Amino acid sequence: MSTTTETYKCFIGGEWTDAASGETMEVIAPATGETIAEVPRCGAEDVDRAVAAANKVLPAWLEKTPKERSELLHKLADVIEENAEELAQLESLNVGKPLLASRDEMPFSADNLRFFAGAARHLEGKSAGEYIEGYTSLIRREPLGIVAGVCPWNYPLMMAVWKIGPALAAGNVQIVKPAEQTPLSLLRFAQLAQEVIPEGVLQVVTGDGVPAGQRLVEHPDVRLVSLTGDVETGKTIARTAADTLKRVHLELGGKAPMVVFDDADPEAVAEGIRLAGYWNSGQDCTAGSRVIAGPKIYDALLEALVPQVESLKVGDPLNDETEMGSVISQSQQERILGFLERANKATVLTGGSAGSDKGFFVQPTLVTDVQQDDEIVQREVFGPVVTVQRFADDAQAIEWANGVRYGLAASVWTRDVARALNAVRKLQFGTVWVNDHLLPISSELPHGGYKQSGYGKDMSIYSMEEYTQIKHAAFKL
Ligand code: NAD
């Protein structure tokens, strides 16, 4: 693992620059605790510089045709594909996630950009016509102008790409702020892509949520902020954005239930939980963190599940064999272990501690004997911790599954189609998978929450529409 410290700059107005204050912040490799880089700690002044640069280039960018915007997105996808291994290595180092996971994210990110490259040329709407006697009306779908993307640390490059694709495809210019813990892959991507990015069309500003992120939300010229992050951050951003009535797109936390009916195959479900609960150390907003199992399958499921969880290969994220790396930071490690300490009436079937003195690790953990209103069932742990509850009947399963403030993703495990369809109808989540969890996602299909998991969709044409505004023009004949 690298121990050299690299110095990065941020990307404003087509130039690589320091923060106006000259301040920097350290970037840590969480699997070792070592400092690997420093990046500018930008503040409000730097955000204002980026907005000024965006305002300067916006008129020329608005003249670009869908074909030209599409070509840019294809070139950005090429950059990811051509540098996939380097970007994956950097992502693993900075996030502490296994290479097998980071390598998986690069082709998917490139595919996402290609989907929006296609979508840029295929925006449909109502046909022009005489809806009012004596007038011809036409509908225009126009970009918003300057938009901002505020990103999380769990999938740093991929979450940024999910914002870049629809924003640029729709004809906006964009300022992206990576999470303070994980700016490296986005900065490196921008370095690799600098020749193809028209000046000021895509800018990267590094810094803390407050003041850098906050200034993006406050700035009156920024017309939309898309956040992927915590529920509380989403609420703060929505409140701040109200002052300038900018559009807000919120992809927030989750607490995904995996509802396992008695007729499911316990071995297949256990394999599914091994992936859904522990992929990316459970630091996934759609992670299957609550197993809600039927009375008859419960014992057989636990019997199959414990060895599955214990078989996970935990260790150095840069080792090809590793299946689970560290968590993102010391504070996140302490937060996760704090949930386990407070759940003192629960039974820890496996895991339950850090498991390593070096770096910020948490063992894959399985917990039973929890109640529906326990903190560990109600709140997002965002770590490799899965709880298992035993329900009495189907109605209780759905009630428990829905009985949290989140509504991002859920899964149902059954061989009975009617039971599955009924559950899909009743579950209040933006995604419901049947007999699988986590990986069935695709650039064509929307991803986004219900309830306090937020509003607005990532991926799919629905996402691109949110980066546009609709104009009606009426011509008197
Ligand atoms: P976070 O909310 O702490 O930070 C996310 C981003 O918001 C960071 O870039 C941060 O700097 C910025 N930020 C913080 N305060 C801000 C403010 N007042 N104004 C503007 N920007 C601000 O979240 P995190 O800890 O980086 O990520 C983990 C969270 O993200 C989890 O809750 C997880 O569920 C969620 N998440 C959701 C999805 C989804 O698609 N719904 C995907 C990934 C992660």
Side-chain angles (χ1 to χ4, degrees):
M1 190 168 283
S2 159
T3 50
T4 50
T5 305
E6 293 219 27
T7 305
Y8 288 78
K9 291 180 187 287
C10 54
F11 192 46
I12 296 180
E15 287 179 3
W16 294 96
T17 150
D18 292 319
S21 66
E23 280 186 54
T24 59
M25 49 198 208
E26 287 189 346
V27 181
I28 310 273
T32 60
E34 284 164 8
T35 302
I36 48 171
E38 52 181 43
V39 302
R41 191 187 287 278
C42 292
E45 202 182 321
D46 304 295
V47 169
D48 289 356
R49 257 196 305 155
V51 175
N55 266 322
K56 201 170 127 208
V57 301
L58 186 60
W61 180 243
L62 290 175
E63 297 301 318
K64 298 287 179 199
T65 60
K67 178 169 179 279
E68 288 168 311
R69 301 199 299 266
S70 174
E71 282 166 357
L72 169 62
L73 289 166
H74 276 301
K75 284 183 195 158
L76 293 179
D78 293 342
V79 167
I80 292 185
E81 279 168 357
E82 286 159 13
N83 300 280
E85 183 58 22
E86 182 191 340
L87 291 167
Q89 295 266 352
L90 193 58
E91 201 74 302
S92 282
L93 179 67
N94 193 178
V95 186
K97 70 167 73 182
L99 268 177
L100 72 88
S102 304
R103 284 186 179 135
D104 213 48
E105 288 160 27
M106 299 308 151
F108 189 65
S109 298
D111 177 73
N112 203 259
L113 291 169
R114 293 203 196 285
F115 169 78
F116 286 107
R121 305 182 71 171
H122 196 71
L123 198 51
E124 296 205 326
K126 199 174 181 69
S127 66
E130 290 66 49
Y131 298 91
I132 308 157
E133 202 179 325
Y135 294 84
T136 295
S137 288
L138 58 88
I139 297 291
R140 295 172 54 85
R141 230 181 219 287
E142 299 180 343
L144 297 164
I146 303 173
V147 298
V150 179
C151 303
W153 45 255
N154 56 348
Y155 295 95
L157 184 57
M158 192 165 88
M159 292 298 113
V161 161
W162 285 14
K163 299 179 192 306
I164 293 168
L168 299 188
N172 302 284
V173 298
Q174 190 176 35
I175 303 165
V176 185
K177 191 194 89 59
E180 34 279 70
Q181 300 89 338
T182 56
L184 302 189
S185 54
L186 181 63
L187 286 172
R188 183 66 190 133
F189 166 67
Q191 286 174 358
L192 293 163
Q194 62 182 342
E195 299 301 327
V196 302
I197 299 172
E199 183 188 311
V201 166
L202 175 62
Q203 306 183 76
V204 182
V205 174
T206 51
D208 293 310
V210 181
Q214 181 177 299
R215 181 61 188 155
L216 283 168
V217 186
E218 283 170 349
H219 202 298
D221 292 354
V222 174
R223 293 314 314 150
L224 171 148
V225 171
S226 167
L227 165 77
T228 300
D230 194 66
V231 171
E232 295 313 315
T233 311
K235 291 179 186 176
T236 303
I237 284 183
R239 278 192 286 265
T240 309
D243 279 341
T244 48
L245 284 177
K246 59 172 56 65
R247 205 177 279 187
V248 181
H249 177 121
L250 300 172
E251 299 283 345
L252 309 177
K255 189 75 185 169
M258 303 178 75
V259 180
V260 184
F261 289 109
D262 283 336
D263 63 349
D265 170 2
E267 294 291 340
V269 180
E271 266 181 50
I273 297 169
R274 183 184 195 273
L275 185 118
Y278 304 98
W279 184 260
N280 205 20
S281 300
Q283 302 168 121
D284 187 303
C285 49
T286 60
S289 53
R290 296 186 290 143
V291 176
I292 300 173
K296 295 202 186 104
I297 197 173
Y298 181 87
D299 291 327
L301 178 61
L302 286 186
E303 206 172 302
L305 186 53
V306 173
Q308 282 286 355
V309 176
E310 289 179 344
S311 73
L312 281 159
K313 295 190 197 84
V314 183
D316 177 0
L318 296 182
N319 180 328
D320 281 339
E321 303 294 308
T322 299
E323 294 175 291
M324 204 185 96
S326 65
V327 297
I328 189 67
S329 61
Q330 186 170 3
S331 64
Q332 187 65 9
Q333 181 195 44
E334 288 166 0
R335 188 176 161 272
I336 296 164
L337 296 175
F339 272 102
L340 293 169
E341 262 168 50
R342 292 190 296 278
N344 47 21
K345 294 208 182 94
T347 307
V348 175
L349 289 184
T350 182
S353 64
S356 163
D357 295 338
K358 195 175 153 217
F360 312 124
F361 285 82
V362 177
Q363 294 172 318
T365 301
L366 195 60
V367 178
T368 57
D369 299 323
V370 290
Q371 306 302 315
Q372 176 65 16
D373 54 5
D374 286 354
E375 181 200 31
I376 202 162
V377 173
Q378 287 295 320
R379 283 185 56 204
E380 185 180 40
V381 176
F382 220 56
V385 177
V386 174
T387 59
V388 189
Q389 296 168 268
R390 185 204 298 250
F391 67 76
D393 54 32
D394 288 20
Q396 187 175 53
I398 301 295
E399 188 190 319
W400 281 356
N402 284 334
V404 291
R405 66 172 173 160
Y406 307 98
L408 191 58
S411 65
V412 180
W413 300 72
T414 176
R415 295 180 233 212
D416 180 334
V417 174
R419 213 173 198 176
L421 277 173
N422 202 35
V424 166
R425 190 167 63 92
K426 292 192 169 160
L427 287 169
Q428 295 155 12
F429 295 83
T431 297
V432 182
W433 293 293
V434 178
N435 293 327
D436 211 332
H437 193 114
L438 201 71
L439 287 189
I441 56 170
S442 152
S443 299
E444 290 84 353
L445 302 172
H447 164 86
Y450 278 24
K451 293 159 61 180
Q452 292 191 37
S453 290
Y455 40 81
K457 299 291 176 195
D458 276 334
M459 307 199 284
S460 80
I461 197 70
Y462 303 108
S463 168
M464 187 168 144
E465 287 174 357
E466 286 169 17
Y467 284 88
T468 67
Q469 52 196 346
I470 295 169
K471 182 181 282 172
H472 167 217
F475 296 72
K476 195 167 187 178
L477 298 177

